Amino acid sequence: MGNVVMNASVSVDGFIADENDDPGPIFEWLVSGDVPLDDGGVLKVSQASYDYVRPYWDQIGVTIAGRHVFDLTDGWDGTPPSGVDHAVIVTHRPAPEGWAPEAPFHFVDGIEAAVAKARELAGDRIVEVAAGDVGGQMLAAGLVDEVRMDVAPVVLGSGKRYFGSVDAQHLLEGPDVVVQGNRVLHLRYRVRR
């Protein structure tokens, strides 16, 4: 069974977007290099970022995200992000009207159900959890094994927090990986049990 990994790009003051859900310069690192990260041709990173991110992306079997992110991205046009096979969406609402039932999206009503469905779909591959409210809830419930942060050199001052509304202390190990890329510092922490 693969690890459950919370992941996102984040400002140095801990935000994944401003109050209007705009990440602004947080994603600048994804277009500031000369090495293509995928086949789309838009994402180009430094060699150091490629060497860290590409193998990770290749191990992800399922992404878990909240309904808010799903709605913001218009369901990624029916294709899970970053070449992932499946997406599990945590929501208390049904799939959008007219949503294609054959699309590899699974709508569940809680974080435990999300992890169970994601683990079933991912097999021994990684289950990635989008940072923010859903990721924070999963961390607080002890469902996250690892935290990955792509820290961008920007201070937003306020906005959507990386760990959502988590207000209790949670201890992490490490970091056991620190990689400096162009306009980003990649960090990986294991969750202390």
Side-chain angles (χ1 to χ4, degrees):
M1 188 173 341
N3 282 339
V4 176
V5 179
M6 186 173 169
N7 184 43
S9 293
V10 59
S11 67
V12 293
D13 57 343
F15 298 101
I16 56 176
D18 67 16
E19 291 89 354
N20 299 313
D21 296 306
D22 183 358
I26 291 174
F27 290 135
E28 188 177 287
W29 71 274
L30 284 164
V31 295
S32 68
D34 54 4
V35 180
L37 190 54
D38 62 11
D39 295 333
V42 175
L43 303 180
K44 292 184 178 180
V45 297
S46 67
Q47 187 66 52
S49 289
Y50 179 89
D51 292 345
Y52 175 74
V53 173
R54 187 71 252 174
Y56 168 69
W57 279 12
D58 291 342
Q59 295 175 52
I60 300 170
V62 178
T63 293
I64 298 173
R67 181 63 178 262
H68 184 69
V69 170
F70 175 85
D71 289 343
L72 280 173
T73 62
D74 197 25
W76 297 280
D77 295 323
T79 303
S82 305
V84 174
D85 296 334
H86 296 273
V88 175
I89 308 303
V90 180
T91 181
H92 298 296
R93 297 180 282 149
E97 193 170 313
W99 184 254
E102 69 279 359
F105 287 77
H106 310 270
F107 297 86
V108 298
D109 68 354
I111 58 172
E112 289 85 5
V115 171
K117 183 64 176 176
R119 284 189 185 273
E120 172 191 323
L121 294 165
D124 63 351
R125 297 179 72 199
I126 289 173
V127 171
E128 180 180 59
V129 179
D133 286 330
V134 168
Q137 290 172 33
M138 291 179 68
L139 177 73
L143 299 172
V144 173
D145 300 308
E146 184 178 297
V147 173
R148 286 178 175 243
M149 305 174 101
D150 302 314
V151 183
V154 60
V155 175
L156 290 183
S158 65
K160 310 288 177 146
R161 295 172 48 196
Y162 181 93
F163 292 102
S165 59
V166 170
D167 61 1
Q169 180 175 338
H170 297 276
L171 299 177
L172 307 175
E173 300 292 342
D176 64 335
V177 174
V178 178
V179 175
Q180 183 176 345
N182 240 10
R183 307 277 312 145
V184 66
L185 183 63
H186 304 287
L187 303 173
R188 184 179 77 183
Y189 303 89
R190 304 235 185 254
V191 176
R192 189 180 291 180
R193 302 269 188 232

